Amino acid sequence: MDLIVANAAGLYCPAGDFTIDPWRPVERAIVTHGHSDHARPGSGVYLCHEDSAPILRHRLGDIRIETLAYGETIERDGVKISLHPAGHVLGSAQVRLEHKNEVWVASGDYKLEADGTCQAFAPLRCDVLITESTFGLPIYKWRPQAELIAEIERWRRANAEEGRASAIGAYPLGKAQRILRWLDPAVGPIVCHGAVEALNDIYRSRGVPLPRTFTTRDRLDRHALSRALVLAPPVALHSSWMRRFGDYSDAFASGWMQVRGNRRRRGVDQGFALSDHADWPGLLQTIEATGARRVFVTHGGVAPLVRYLREKGYDAAAIEADYGDEILEREEAPEDLSAEPTPGDGAP
Amino acid sequence: MKDFAALYHRIDAATSTRHKSEALQDYVRAAIADPARGASAAWAVYFLAGGKPRQMIATKHLWRLALDETGLPDWLIEESYQNVGDLAEMLALLLPPPEATEDLPLDAWMNGRLLALKGMEDEEKYNSLRDWTRRLPAAERLPLFKLITGALRIGVSQRQVVQALSEATGIEPKTMAQRMMGYTQSGRLLVADDFAALIAAETEQKAEGAASGRPYPFFLAHPLQVAVEDMPAALGPIENWLIEWKYDGIRAQYIHRDGQWWLWSRGEELISASYPDLAALSNFVASGTVLDGELVVVGHDPAAGARERAIDAVDDIRPFASLQQRIGRKVLTPKILKELPVALIAYDLLEQDGTDLRPRPQKERRALLASVVAGAYGTAVGRGQDIPLRLSPALRRPDWASLAALREEARGLGAEGMMLKGLNSAYGVGRRKSGPAAEDLWWKWKLNPMSVDAVLIYAQRGHGRRSGVYSDYTFAVWSGPPEDEKRALVPFAKAYSGLTDEEMRQVDANIRRTTIETFGPVRSVKPTMVFELGFEGIAPSKRHKSGVATRFPRMLRWRQDKPVEEADTLEQLQALLPKEATG
């Protein structure tokens, strides 16, 4: 019997009676990270990494949480469970299960490049791997973070020189802090949307160094706003919230921006293909490093990766998540805006 | 290529017209300042203004390049292509990093490499391409592959290019527009002198326009979207307007200067060679004449001379489908010329005795045009010869309401509607967006399109802004009435425009949900969605299973209220065929 099977609630472990990233309420959940398509409300008790706990509380409210440090092991009905860095966002984890001398790893979302805001990913040796494949096509090859950040800085400086703000649409959890971490605060003030700032506070409380940020409550003057770099959830970019900044150039930071059509559909000036997921070479490199001969693929461009792995001699199969099978819908789920201050607050 | 690639990316990233114009001007100024860049700039202007050289490398070589250089299986490359929606962009993303890079100017790419491919054997072409791309800097990949695949579209209009050249040189936009005429025609080999001619000071150039076959920029019409009852308020008295049919042919400028003649299409292609029928015109109109009009296929009656026909006869214009049989034909046999003769329906006189008449009011130009055409007819009749020229008739009605009634007859004449031109207006340049009063513009008042309710049965992912989205659809009508139990859906048209982004998103989701089968890039879907499909024309066709071909089909409306059983039938579609065509 397989250690993990896909059922109506998610990736279920029958031997240990728990579900990884359940999309329906279950008694016992293991949550790989705090993004809303992985951490959903209603379950009895949540097991996650200790850095994920404050994020889950912020998003899901008063829930029962048990935490583990990376590498720490607990046992449930004879199944040894441990969490390991996935490098995706703060507290993100791969789930390693060991039972009767067999090791399974569910990767959760992961990326290979160390981003400086969370512990870096390392592949785990295992017999069976369940990998994500959000960007499971060879057209997705990321440029190094340093290059992309430099590009963002160039764009922002050029805007500031023309007295125009720069607004980046980025996921409030992870992507926003990853950009923020490396920005030069000397260029101009960094203004964060409430939904972003709430997560910044959590990152800071877990010891991640982030530069000084402002919110609209700080009542920056018009001159400061006109040179600001704005970090906001993508949905806020085209909302009235942006009005206070006057003329601005906008951008979206996401792996999807690799393809021009996606950028043009979003209608933003700039697209930065900065992703928190593994690219095609990263997926293949990871699969090889785990030594797994059996691979399940889930999330995103599943079919091509499965077929490719099979042609390479792997025992590969798809696990369909309930998000629909097409990559375009992924990572575009509406983000939590609950921390948004009242509209007009602090507007010049 | 580096400068051009930088310009390409800068324009690509700019969303406001102002930023695009700044980028253009910076490029042009830098090119003027550095004479060594003249040839590069000559090509850059060509591409910016929408020029497209003939395809230099077959698509199969590009696919092979992707296979060889990545070592990936072909199905995975196909899958990548489907997600990117553009071959050039896919290559730019897939190819491994260059081994080494070289900096080669755009003109060296064009004149030294790409245009030189023409005489080569396939294998030699492919090997050259592979070697070049291995040294191609990453930032230059996208523009270069776009250029090679003939898909280089830069988000600027020719008007913006003219404006930028004009700002950078201080030359009048009108003069610059004139200099740009014909610049983008295909098959050219551009050199530094071509750019120098564009930017040369005005005095040196005065006689140049008149001395060559260069056309004037076409004055373009705006769609009139006003209800009949509002037309008096919007347009004023009908007496102030020249009203003509809107012919369904090729807009063209006929030029006769210094004993030579040229015919230019609205797309600024020189098309004289494809329409030798018009050579005879230079026997009947004086040198120093430029006519603006519509090229159409007319009735074929070998016995008839000019004598039997009124100079403004338009009752024998044949449908666009006939003209289509002439377009793009490489070999013109005497049989074709005899069976599908073309004529120019003249509606404006832009030059007479070498004088530019464009600033003169429409009514003056019209009177002069009428006498030019009448004179030509007189000469032809005198010699007992036929003449491939007509005068576009001026339509007269006492008021807008009765004009609207007359417009309904347009389709019977093979016309698309009417043209309204202010009698006191000058002949302008291009399509002016705003500013001038209604009577200074040309208006096209088109008939409502024909339409049927059709069922979406196949879908394909789109390109560009719609890459990855199922946006290109095939539509079908029923082969029989609802009571026919054996009736099936017969595909008859493809359409990809007319939906809002939000509707397209929903349709895309439905397609993914209701897919029956996937054949390569195409999905067949369960028939669940009905659309009102509009089209400008319909003609019998042997190539289509349905037996009809529609012109400019597009989605007018998503009929979410209509079950598929109630979609229209082939019989209802065929009822729209023109009478002469069905006989």
Side-chain angles (χ1 to χ4, degrees):
Chain A
M1 171 136 187
D2 283 347
L3 194 50
I4 297 177
V5 294
N7 71 7
L11 299 175
Y12 178 65
C13 174
D17 187 26
F18 54 80
T19 308
I20 300 169
D21 290 347
W23 50 75
R24 286 187 194 168
V26 297
E27 207 38 56
R28 294 197 288 177
I30 300 181
V31 172
T32 59
H33 65 285
H35 277 148
S36 55
D37 52 343
H38 292 260
R40 302 194 187 211
S43 289
V45 57
Y46 293 81
L47 178 70
C48 65
H49 182 260
E50 53 199 19
D51 284 339
S52 258
I55 298 170
L56 259 55
R57 286 229 162 74
H58 166 66
R59 300 203 143 180
L60 302 180
D62 189 19
I63 52 170
R64 263 186 69 200
I65 296 183
E66 292 167 7
T67 63
L68 287 176
Y70 289 130
E72 190 186 342
T73 306
I74 53 162
E75 207 170 306
R76 292 263 186 274
D77 300 328
V79 180
K80 282 184 192 159
I81 305 169
S82 55
L83 302 179
H84 303 265
H88 178 60
V89 298
L90 182 65
S92 63
Q94 306 178 67
V95 181
R96 182 182 184 278
L97 305 180
E98 192 176 337
H99 184 62
K100 295 180 181 163
N101 292 325
E102 197 178 41
V103 176
W104 286 56
V105 168
S107 72
D109 290 344
Y110 65 99
K111 74 165 172 291
L112 277 68
E113 191 180 20
D115 74 3
T117 65
C118 59
Q119 206 165 321
F121 172 86
L124 301 166
R125 299 291 297 181
C126 58
D127 300 300
V128 184
L129 173 70
I130 302 174
T131 180
E132 66 134 327
S133 65
T134 305
F135 293 102
L137 280 176
I139 50 173
Y140 296 108
K141 282 182 284 193
W142 309 140
R143 290 160 60 202
Q145 168 171 297
E147 262 182 39
L148 289 160
I149 298 285
E151 204 168 272
I152 292 174
E153 286 285 29
R154 270 200 301 278
W155 165 73
R156 170 194 176 207
R157 276 171 205 274
N159 287 332
E161 273 165 29
E162 294 189 32
R164 193 167 47 221
S166 308
I168 303 180
Y171 305 107
L173 166 58
K175 190 69 58 66
Q177 291 74 30
R178 180 180 176 193
I179 296 169
L180 191 52
R181 169 78 176 81
W182 301 106
L183 288 178
D184 178 359
V187 178
I190 301 166
V191 179
C192 290
H193 185 278
V196 173
E197 189 60 20
L199 271 311
N200 293 347
D201 288 343
I202 295 174
Y203 268 62
R204 288 187 180 108
S205 74
R206 303 304 296 180
V208 180
L210 297 179
R212 163 137 202 229
T213 52
F214 298 88
T215 68
T216 50
R217 290 204 177 98
D218 293 314
R219 300 188 180 275
L220 293 176
D221 63 28
R222 192 180 290 270
H223 175 73
L225 287 175
S226 72
R227 324 178 29 92
L229 180 116
V230 185
L231 278 166
V235 289
L237 269 200
H238 298 290
S239 75
S240 58
W241 185 82
M242 282 304 300
R243 240 183 262 156
R244 69 198 77 212
F245 299 100
D247 181 24
Y248 63 92
S249 176
D250 56 6
F252 186 52
S254 157
W256 300 119
M257 297 298 101
Q258 184 90 335
V259 174
R260 291 165 77 243
N262 292 338
R263 194 195 86 211
R264 289 161 71 192
R265 257 201 304 284
R266 281 219 161 242
V268 288
D269 299 348
Q270 285 278 347
F272 299 110
L274 185 75
S275 176
D276 287 327
H277 294 270
D279 60 4
W280 175 261
L283 292 168
L284 298 182
Q285 195 186 317
T286 301
I287 291 163
E288 198 184 337
T290 61
R293 295 313 299 168
R294 221 177 138 198
V295 180
F296 290 100
V297 180
T298 184
H299 285 141
V302 171
L305 183 58
V306 168
R307 180 169 172 190
Y308 186 79
L309 291 174
R310 283 190 182 157
E311 289 182 4
K312 294 273 168 206
Y314 285 89
D315 175 7
I319 292 181
E320 290 299 337
D322 81 333
Y323 318 115
D325 62 339
E326 290 291 336
I327 58 170
L328 276 173
E329 272 90 59
R330 285 268 298 146
E331 215 185 66
E332 297 196 346
E335 284 286 343
D336 170 15
L337 294 176
S338 53
E340 165 61 358
T342 44
D345 172 44
Chain B
M1 189 74 195
K2 201 162 85 190
D3 315 316
F4 183 66
L7 174 66
Y8 175 84
H9 290 296
R10 191 172 158 195
I11 291 176
D12 193 42
T15 43
S16 81
T17 315
R18 182 169 62 87
H19 285 113
K20 287 178 185 174
S21 296
E22 283 169 8
L24 282 174
Q25 276 182 47
D26 289 349
Y27 179 88
V28 171
R29 289 214 163 89
I32 292 173
D34 178 4
R37 287 172 59 175
S40 250
W43 276 112
V45 169
Y46 175 86
F47 290 119
L48 288 164
K52 279 192 183 22
R54 296 195 182 93
Q55 186 161 8
M56 293 162 285
I57 296 176
T59 312
K60 64 174 182 193
H61 293 316
L62 296 166
W63 282 96
R64 185 175 156 200
L65 185 70
L67 281 167
D68 288 356
E69 298 293 276
T70 63
L72 292 169
D74 53 358
W75 64 264
L76 190 52
I77 292 181
E78 174 66 31
E79 188 74 34
S80 299
Y81 172 73
Q82 288 306 324
N83 271 270
V84 177
D86 181 273
L87 181 57
E89 189 182 347
M90 181 198 77
L91 278 169
L93 292 172
L94 274 188
L95 293 183
E99 295 162 348
T101 61
E102 62 183 353
D103 183 17
L104 203 66
L106 180 58
D107 59 302
W109 268 105
M110 290 304 301
N111 301 347
R113 287 185 167 178
L114 298 172
L115 294 176
L117 286 169
K118 209 173 168 189
M120 288 185 196
E121 292 295 319
D122 261 13
E123 204 56 24
E124 196 183 351
K125 272 187 193 170
Y126 174 74
N127 290 336
S128 308
L129 173 72
R130 192 196 51 214
D131 295 348
W132 298 337
T133 52
R134 284 183 179 169
R135 288 177 313 227
L136 182 65
E140 296 174 24
R141 280 180 176 176
L142 184 61
L144 186 82
F145 288 128
K146 285 264 189 191
L147 200 153
I148 289 177
T149 54
L152 184 70
R153 270 188 302 271
I154 304 172
V156 291
S157 62
Q158 182 161 354
R159 168 187 292 271
Q160 280 171 285
V161 177
V162 165
Q163 199 67 39
L165 282 165
S166 169
E167 296 267 344
T169 55
I171 292 165
E172 282 284 303
K174 215 172 165 179
T175 310
M176 194 52 81
Q178 171 79 40
R179 287 183 185 181
M180 282 293 295
M181 285 307 289
Y183 190 85
T184 56
Q185 59 174 308
S186 50
R188 295 190 71 181
L189 193 145
L190 293 163
V191 293
D193 283 351
D194 293 292
F195 184 65
L198 285 178
I199 59 170
E202 250 168 303
T203 45
E204 306 163 27
Q205 294 276 329
K206 213 149 217 168
E208 174 215 19
S212 75
R214 187 175 290 171
Y216 293 100
F218 285 87
F219 193 28
L220 305 178
H222 293 253
L224 183 69
Q225 278 147 345
V226 175
V228 179
E229 53 273 23
D230 299 326
M231 287 178 73
L235 302 174
I238 197 167
E239 297 76 35
N240 295 349
W241 293 83
L242 168 65
I243 298 151
E244 301 165 274
W245 296 115
K246 184 182 187 317
Y247 309 99
D248 190 8
I250 297 173
R251 176 92 183 266
Q253 232 175 93
Y254 167 83
I255 294 165
H256 183 200
R257 287 178 188 141
D258 296 330
Q260 284 191 74
W261 72 279
W262 296 266
L263 189 72
W264 290 87
S265 73
R266 210 211 92 172
E268 292 175 34
E269 289 292 330
L270 187 59
I271 53 172
S272 324
S274 303
Y275 301 96
D277 326 44
L278 296 195
L281 266 188
S282 44
N283 301 326
F284 308 115
V285 299
S287 194
T289 302
V290 177
L291 299 170
D292 183 9
E294 196 90 0
L295 198 66
V296 293
V297 172
V298 291
H300 163 56
D301 182 2
R307 199 165 327 182
E308 284 86 27
R309 206 177 42 232
I311 67 169
D312 62 353
V314 290
D315 54 354
D316 63 341
I317 295 177
R318 314 227 319 248
F320 189 79
S322 305
L323 189 57
Q324 240 161 355
Q325 296 178 50
R326 292 272 317 246
I327 294 171
R329 199 175 269 275
K330 287 216 175 75
V331 185
L332 290 164
T333 61
K335 186 165 174 267
I336 290 288
L337 291 175
K338 203 168 142 191
E339 288 175 0
L340 299 166
V342 297
L344 184 75
I345 307 179
Y347 39 68
D348 218 318
L349 182 66
L350 309 186
E351 184 178 309
Q352 191 175 33
D353 298 331
T355 306
D356 181 357
L357 300 183
R358 294 177 300 157
R360 307 271 197 88
Q362 175 76 64
K363 59 184 171 205
E364 260 182 56
R365 298 198 313 273
R366 171 79 195 184
L368 292 169
L369 173 70
S371 65
V372 166
V373 178
Y377 261 70
T379 313
V381 170
R383 297 183 196 162
Q385 289 171 336
D386 200 359
I387 174 173
L389 178 68
R390 312 283 173 90
L391 177 66
S392 169
L395 308 172
R396 291 192 183 82
R397 281 295 181 275
D399 51 56
W400 295 111
S402 46
L403 190 70
L406 179 64
R407 188 178 65 135
E408 294 308 312
E409 294 171 22
R411 200 158 271 147
L413 288 164
E416 298 178 294
M418 288 173 166
M419 293 295 303
L420 312 180
K421 303 168 180 173
L423 280 170
N424 296 310
S425 66
Y427 187 95
V429 172
R431 185 180 281 122
R432 286 193 261 174
K433 266 203 176 123
S434 57
E439 56 266 32
D440 289 333
L441 298 176
W442 281 12
W443 297 98
K444 47 185 172 190
W445 191 28
K446 287 174 98 166
L447 286 171
N448 293 326
M450 300 183 227
S451 72
V452 290
D453 290 332
V455 183
L456 192 160
I457 58 166
Y458 302 118
Q460 199 167 350
R461 281 188 266 205
H463 302 273
R465 210 170 87 79
R466 298 143 139 207
S467 66
V469 178
Y470 285 92
S471 62
D472 300 7
Y473 314 128
T474 301
F475 292 95
V477 285
W478 291 105
S479 61
E483 53 276 14
D484 175 359
E485 278 174 26
K486 286 191 197 130
R487 74 176 184 162
L489 284 165
V490 188
F492 75 100
K494 277 186 170 185
Y496 45 85
S497 65
L499 293 185
T500 64
D501 285 357
E502 175 53 26
E503 284 172 327
M504 198 181 296
R505 206 189 55 71
Q506 285 180 39
V507 173
D508 175 76
N510 285 358
I511 286 165
R512 290 166 200 271
R513 239 196 327 273
T514 58
T515 298
I516 302 171
E517 250 184 298
T518 308
F519 328 85
V522 181
R523 286 185 180 209
S524 68
V525 297
K526 230 170 83 191
T528 59
M529 291 181 276
V530 178
F531 293 81
E532 184 181 342
L533 214 64
F535 40 91
E536 294 301 315
I538 182 167
S541 161
K542 290 195 190 84
R543 281 187 303 147
H544 294 75
K545 215 179 183 177
S546 59
V548 297
T550 52
R551 208 153 167 248
F552 297 140
R554 73 259 187 197
M555 290 162 274
L556 299 178
R557 217 156 32 117
W558 183 5
R559 296 293 307 261
Q560 282 172 284
D561 56 316
K562 206 159 200 184
V564 281
E565 293 71 33
E566 289 174 25
D568 286 328
T569 64
L570 194 54
E571 197 184 344
Q572 284 164 307
L573 183 63
Q574 282 165 342
L576 300 169
L577 283 167
K579 294 289 171 289
E580 69 160 308
T582 44

